[in-house]
Amino acid sequence: MTYPDLLSGQTALVTGGSRGIGKAVALALGETGAEVIVNYSNSPGKAEEVVQTIKAHGGSAYALRANIAEERDVDELVKAILERSGRLDVLVNNAGITRDGLLMRMKTEDWQAVINLNLTGVFLCTRAVSRTMLKQKRGRIINITSVVGLIGNAGQTNYASAKAGVIGLTKSTAKEFASRGITVNAVAPGFISTDMTKELKAEEILTAIPLGSFGTPEQVAGTVRFLAADPAGSYITGQVIQVDGGMVMG
Ligand code: NAP
């Protein structure tokens, strides 16, 4: 088997695949032979560009809109994929937002919006694909958490709580699904250059990163591809893999 064909014949859903880390993950999985469903919420044009790039490299992809924080949208998304592709092998729970603010002044709606997408969205997508993966006796679920879910961050109680919740969800689901050939892992990026981090003051943050730079979406995508591939990821489950330039050790 050649490397580009590691995922051939498989179908992969990437939530929030239109920009940033999700886009890089979609391109990496497409390059590796999977048919990729590029989910988006507000950026149809960007999602279509990702699809066209995958196709231009000889891969297969299509874009589908769904608000991942909404149960009905998620169920309809998975139904549409199964009708069109007939299978679903890889789920990458990537869609996420921030609504930062100090706890004392945090609006309940900002707490709720982040929990609804970043944590409940992961639950909704995992539940929606579970029947199909359990029947197939094969599946890879990769949840994008954050090092902030491990160490906390002032101004991000909502985001850190959601990301810590994703780690608990990852480990519990890994235990529930292990006997059925489904692995569930989390990838915890540190600071990655995307729209989400473009407002941050780089100089202060860089002093805390031993490798001395922000990461790229492609560096995160490489780890996701590793976890999705056979045999690379097949004996790893319930783990949190940090991609953070050494920011958080031990
Ligand atoms: P980004 O550049 O802001 O992209 C966010 C993606 O999520 C977009 O594709 C967006 O799609 C999608 N999205 C937003 N709301 C959505 C919704 N309701 N339903 C479906 N999709 C939705 O963010 P990023 O930096 O790539 O982050 C991706 C993931 O990595 C997130 O889970 C984030 O928490 C995590 N992460 C990022 C960093 C970092 O430093 N960047 C670090 C740790 C973890 P549309 O534009 O179509 O709405």
Side-chain angles (χ1 to χ4, degrees), residues 139-143 167 169-186 226-227 232-241:
R140 297 287 167 83
I141 300 174
I142 299 148
N143 299 325
I167 292 172
L169 175 57
T170 299
K171 292 180 180 178
S172 303
T173 317
K175 287 184 176 176
E176 281 192 25
F177 290 178
S179 66
R180 308 292 285 272
I182 300 164
T183 67
V184 189
N185 291 289
F226 168 82
L227 288 169
S234 55
Y235 199 55
I236 302 173
T237 198
Q239 304 303 310
V240 181
I241 301 186

Side-chain angles (χ1 to χ4, degrees), residues 16 18-19 21 41-43 67-68 94 145 159 163 190 192 194:
S18 49
R19 293 186 285 118
I21 292 170
S41 174
N42 292 310
S43 311
N67 177 354
I68 296 301
N94 165 80
T145 178
Y159 185 79
K163 293 301 189 183
I192 309 300
T194 67

Side-chain angles (χ1 to χ4, degrees), residues 3-15 17 21-38 50 54 57-61 88-94 140-142 144 218 220-230:
Y3 186 66
D5 292 319
L6 280 170
L7 292 172
S8 62
Q10 297 189 34
T11 296
L13 165 62
V14 183
T15 69
I21 292 170
K23 173 181 176 177
V25 168
L27 295 175
L29 296 179
E31 226 173 57
T32 318
E35 177 186 50
V36 183
I37 296 90
V38 180
V50 177
I54 293 171
H57 288 85
S60 163
L88 191 42
D89 304 277
V90 179
L91 166 64
V92 183
N93 282 308
N94 165 80
R140 297 287 167 83
I141 300 174
I142 299 148
I144 308 299
E218 291 72 25
V220 180
T223 304
V224 173
R225 173 162 64 184
F226 168 82
L227 288 169
D230 270 327

Side-chain angles (χ1 to χ4, degrees), residues 52-67:
Q52 292 310 325
T53 306
I54 293 171
K55 287 185 173 168
H57 288 85
S60 163
Y62 55 94
L64 288 176
R65 195 201 160 272
N67 177 354

